[in-house]
Amino acid sequence: MKEVTFTLAEYNLAACSNVDITTVRLTSKPVLLLLHGWQDNAATFASLWPLLTKDYDVIALDWPGHGKSDYKSADNYYHFVDYIDDLHQVITQLKCEKVHIVGHSLGAIVAGCYAAVFPEYVDKIILIEGLSPLTEPPQMAVERLRMGIVSRQRYRQQQLRLKQRSMATFAEALTLRVAVNRLPASLLEAVVTRATIERDGRWYWRHDPRLRCDSLYRMAQQHAQALLSSIQAPVLSIIGDHGYSSLHNSDGRGWDINDFTQVVVSGGHHCHLQSSKGVYRHIRTFIPTRFD
């Protein structure tokens, strides 16, 4: 996989790909667009790359403020719906007829919403440990808005300290991430490598601290229902047997998704890291190639 860059209207997005993105439309392989989760990066799919690239043209994005992508401007924050705009700018640059989208967590939620809004660009979607946008009852609107504004003010007061926060070694950064995700270091090393940068003998996180600011708004259940029920593309949901319990109780019927299949693999919320071969086999079955 090589480093590539997508130039969007407001900033650049970094990505990894096994194909020249300017000629991807000329190839005969299905195009897989891989979307990572919150505070992860494109390397969360690194263990899948050698498997997927045998059969597909693969592009793995870094969302803005993540990995090697640009931060948003100083007067902006990270709204969920803006990720859908980012994705649309990427897909329309590819100029291929349709893409298959594989998303994990936040990336899965974005994938589902995008497929609902722009069905003409999407063939199939695979949602790993993610499905519906986060929802709240309408009566939470006041408290949610207050929480979001307060979190921004807290960031403004702490931004200098957050930007200066560093670690003595890469191993320290890796240990911190292992403690958060409760996964072996071997599964997280690629993610942490892409998530850190070394300057003057110290290691710094690349991601924008503003990512941790609370949302100003969350959808009501009816809004999420309207989006998911509009998905026309076939959906494959892959969940870990020790992943988010709410996903075990969610199926296509509950959201009125027309073509929905769910499979379970070993692992937790990052089951694509823990069971990469199993996830690959499900992807390979769901998205055949012309050689099958």
Side-chain angles (χ1 to χ4, degrees):
M1 298 285 277
K2 60 184 179 181
E3 296 288 336
V4 298
T5 301
F6 288 94
T7 301
L8 275 56
E10 295 84 13
Y11 36 72
N12 292 331
L13 293 188
C16 300
S17 181
N18 67 326
V19 66
D20 183 344
I21 59 174
T22 63
T23 61
V24 64
R25 64 188 182 278
L26 302 178
T27 68
S28 58
K29 294 181 179 179
V31 177
L32 298 190
L33 196 53
L34 310 183
L35 310 178
H36 67 79
W38 180 68
Q39 291 204 115
D40 281 348
N41 54 59
T44 193
F45 298 105
S47 60
L48 284 168
W49 290 344
L51 302 170
L52 294 174
T53 53
K54 295 182 297 183
D55 310 301
Y56 308 105
D57 289 337
V58 178
I59 301 166
L61 296 180
D62 284 338
W63 289 125
H66 295 77
K68 298 183 180 181
S69 286
D70 290 347
Y71 286 11
K72 290 196 172 187
S73 60
D75 60 345
N76 208 342
Y77 287 82
Y78 295 84
H79 305 285
F80 167 73
V81 291
D82 286 341
Y83 292 115
I84 302 170
D85 181 17
D86 298 329
L87 180 57
H88 188 56
Q89 291 186 65
V90 168
I91 289 177
T92 52
Q93 286 186 39
L94 295 176
K95 296 184 173 64
C96 49
E97 185 176 349
K98 285 190 174 184
V99 299
H100 303 277
I101 306 177
V102 181
H104 169 246
S105 195
L106 168 66
I109 299 170
V110 175
C113 291
Y114 185 83
V117 177
F118 292 103
E120 66 271 27
Y121 290 100
V122 180
D123 196 332
K124 296 179 178 180
I125 58 174
I126 297 174
L127 312 180
I128 304 172
E129 279 286 307
L131 180 58
S132 165
L134 297 178
T135 63
E136 284 181 342
Q139 56 266 32
M140 283 291 296
V142 172
E143 183 177 352
R144 170 60 52 192
L145 183 56
R146 178 184 174 90
M147 288 167 53
I149 297 298
V150 169
S151 74
R152 291 185 179 190
Q153 190 64 16
R154 186 167 54 246
Y155 160 75
R156 294 183 185 109
Q157 294 168 352
Q158 300 176 354
Q159 60 179 309
L160 181 60
R161 180 182 64 81
L162 291 171
K163 290 177 180 177
Q164 292 176 338
R165 192 181 97 184
S166 65
M167 296 146 289
T169 63
F170 174 82
E172 182 182 345
L174 182 57
T175 298
L176 289 171
R177 186 61 191 258
V178 164
V180 169
N181 291 137
R182 299 180 182 179
L183 292 172
S186 59
L187 297 182
L188 292 169
E189 185 171 359
V191 176
V192 176
T193 297
R194 195 170 181 85
T196 54
I197 187 169
E198 187 269 333
R199 292 195 300 266
D200 300 323
R202 301 288 297 182
W203 290 84
Y204 297 81
W205 296 108
R206 289 181 182 269
H207 58 258
D208 190 340
R210 286 176 294 173
L211 290 167
R212 300 189 67 86
C213 291
D214 290 329
S215 172
L216 302 183
Y217 165 80
R218 283 187 181 171
M219 295 182 188
Q221 177 82 8
Q222 297 93 324
H223 297 156
Q225 180 78 51
L227 280 167
L228 296 188
S229 64
S230 297
I231 296 174
Q232 300 176 22
V235 178
L236 173 63
S237 167
I238 301 177
I239 60 175
D241 58 3
H242 292 91
Y244 286 162
S245 58
S246 60
L247 294 171
H248 288 261
N249 301 319
S250 298
D251 59 24
R253 293 185 301 275
W255 292 101
D256 293 329
I257 300 174
N258 181 53
D259 189 344
F260 183 93
T261 304
Q262 188 170 83
V263 296
V264 181
V265 298
S266 177
H269 187 57
H270 287 77
C271 59
H272 60 299
L273 292 175
Q274 297 164 288
S275 299
S276 54
K277 290 183 179 178
V279 169
Y280 163 71
R281 285 194 295 269
H282 286 298
I283 293 174
R284 189 68 180 80
T285 300
F286 188 62
I287 304 176
T289 72
R290 68 183 183 90
F291 301 106
D292 292 338

